[in-house]
Structure formats: C-alpha cells, structure tokens
C-alpha cells in the first residue's frame, strides 16, 4: 500500500535538461495520471546540448536549436512546466520549495540540475555583457545576440579553459570564421582535439600559456 501511495505522489523535477525530461517521460509512460511539475531556471526548451558549440559553425540562432518548446513539453507530458523559475531553498522537513515569496509544496522531489561551470575570477560588473559562460540555450542566445549586433565585423573571443568543451568551442568558432584566442590556466594543453590558433597563425606552446585578462575579452 505504501509503495502504491508513493508512486501516486505528485512528482516535482527541478531541471528540464536531458535527465529531467527523460525521467518525466519514463514516469509518464508508466502512469498517465500522476501529477508532474517541471521547474526550469531558463526557457525550458528542449534541445541537444552538444549543438551549443556546433551552432557557431552553421551560424544558427538559438531558436533553430529548439526541438520542442516548454509549451510543447507540457502538452506532450501532460505536466506543468514552470520556466525562468529559480528555487532558492528546499525545506525537506516540511517538503516545501522556496521560490521568492512563494512556497511550493512537493510530494517527491528530484534534482536534475546538471553541472555548472566554475568561474575562475571575480567579474567586474561592467564586463557582464562581454563575458559569457555557455552552459544552456539561454546562454547561447545571449552570446549570439551580442555577435549579431555587428554581423559585418569580425568578433574576437577569448576562451578560458582547454578541456573538451573549450576544444569544441575553439574548433567550432574557427569553422564559423569567428576569431578567437585561447587562455590556458594551469598550463594545460589540448593535444588531441585541435591545435590553437592566434591571429591566423598556429601558436607555439610558449604562447599558449598566456592568461588573457577579462578586460581583453571582446
């Protein structure tokens, strides 16, 4: 009886990425009547995250990457989808979510928020419109909007980090004819993904270790 009651308890999922949506679809396939609420800090649109970098090659807009918007997700899952909603605190004793002045009760709760990039330095408020962390579709939409303000001008982008994501962005920016420079904190190199370029020339390892300050990001 307890297992049946637990399975019938309203489900709240924080996060509408691949994990959150996959869980919601799996639950809905087993129970067509269970109440499901999805909470997203961004637009809640469904998209393939690897396309956030390859979209530069094709010069695609954020809207072109959307497979299904939040309204379509809500309709297909018969669920409530709350977009641009930031959960500030979780009261596990009373089973409440604190969203600004609102308190939202939940039955079962799943956190599917994914990872967040680490910012390696304190950001001057004056630079917030010029420094970006591309971790979701809204982030890409903001950067694409800045690049499209002056489409006739060559953009100059500094990439901080040379892990897999940094390499993918460097490769796709180059393929999209967007100028870029690389910053490698801790002297790491990406040897297998791609080779770094500086102003149209292949860089020497000694130059790869330059740390570009926030003021140089355009």
């Amino acid at each position: 009886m307890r297992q049946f009651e637990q399975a019938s308890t309203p489900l709240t999922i924080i996060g509408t990425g691949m994990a959150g949506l996959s869980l919601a679809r799996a639950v809905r396939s087993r129970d067509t009547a269970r109440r499901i609420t999805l909470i997203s800090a961004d637009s809640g649109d469904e998209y393939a995250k690897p396309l956030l970098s390859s979209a530069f090659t094709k010069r695609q807009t954020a809207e072109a990457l959307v497979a299904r918007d939040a309204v379509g997700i809500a309709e297909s899952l018969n669920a409530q989808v709350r977009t641009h909603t930031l959960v500030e605190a979780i009261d596990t004793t009373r089973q409440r979510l604190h969203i600004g002045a609102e308190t939202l009760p939940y039955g079962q709760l799943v956190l599917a928020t994914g990872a967040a990039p680490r910012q390696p330095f304190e950001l001057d408020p004056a630079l917030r419109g010029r420094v970006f962390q591309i971790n979701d579709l809204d982030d890409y939409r903001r950067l694409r909007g800045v690049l499209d303000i002056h489409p006739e001008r060559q953009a100059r982008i500094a990439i901080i980090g040379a892990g897999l994501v940094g390499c993918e962005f460097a490769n796709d920016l180059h393929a999209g004819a967007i100028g870029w420079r690389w910053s490698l904190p801790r002297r790491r190199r990406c040897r297998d993904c791609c080779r770094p370029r500086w102003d149209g020339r292949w860089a020497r390892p000694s130059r790869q270790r330059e740390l570009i300050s926030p003021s140089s990001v355009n």
Side-chain angles (χ1 to χ4, degrees):
M1 180 69 176
R2 183 177 180 181
Q3 184 177 3
F4 174 78
E5 290 176 351
Q6 193 174 42
S8 302
T9 300
L11 173 65
T12 299
I13 302 172
I14 301 178
T16 56
M18 183 175 67
L21 291 179
S22 295
L23 173 61
R25 288 180 176 128
V27 170
R28 179 58 73 226
S29 68
R30 296 170 62 90
D31 188 342
T32 59
R34 188 175 186 182
R35 193 169 67 193
I36 299 175
T37 300
L38 290 150
I39 300 177
S40 177
D42 51 39
S43 62
D45 298 329
E46 182 179 7
Y47 63 96
K49 197 166 186 177
L51 297 181
L52 292 180
S53 65
S54 62
F56 286 107
T57 302
K58 302 176 182 178
R59 297 184 178 273
Q60 291 177 297
T61 64
E63 286 65 32
L65 304 182
V66 176
R68 183 173 296 176
D69 63 16
V71 174
I73 292 172
E75 292 176 347
S76 66
L77 291 173
N78 187 27
Q80 181 184 36
V81 179
R82 297 184 57 155
T83 62
H84 301 291
T85 300
L86 183 64
V87 176
E88 298 175 348
I90 301 174
D91 183 345
T92 57
T93 302
R94 300 176 58 196
Q95 292 187 269
R96 299 284 191 274
L97 300 179
H98 293 276
I99 304 171
E102 179 185 3
T103 301
L104 182 69
Y106 66 84
Q108 285 187 307
L109 178 67
V110 174
L111 305 182
T113 55
R118 181 181 66 85
Q119 189 164 292
F121 49 78
E122 290 295 326
L123 186 62
D124 188 326
L127 296 175
R128 294 193 181 279
R130 300 168 62 195
V131 180
F132 302 86
Q133 294 177 329
I134 313 301
N135 195 46
D136 57 47
L137 190 62
D138 282 357
D139 292 339
Y140 176 80
R141 183 178 284 112
R142 284 189 288 271
L143 177 57
R144 186 79 259 178
V146 171
L147 293 176
D148 291 342
I149 292 176
H150 301 291
E152 73 285 353
R153 293 172 55 184
Q154 173 106 20
R156 293 183 298 164
I157 297 178
I159 301 174
I160 298 180
L164 177 61
V165 175
C167 287
E168 288 180 343
F169 268 100
N171 185 65
D172 291 323
L173 287 171
H174 173 60
I178 297 176
W180 58 275
R181 292 189 291 172
W182 222 339
S183 167
L184 305 189
R186 301 182 184 176
R187 301 187 176 184
R188 293 182 299 178
R189 293 173 58 191
C190 179
R191 303 173 189 271
D192 302 323
C193 301
C194 58
R195 292 186 293 168
R197 275 177 87 97
W198 293 79
D199 301 326
R201 295 171 295 177
W202 295 115
R204 295 191 298 273
S206 61
R207 298 184 68 187
Q208 291 177 10
R209 295 194 290 269
E210 179 181 350
L211 178 60
I212 302 172
S213 65
S215 60
S216 68
V217 180
N218 289 316

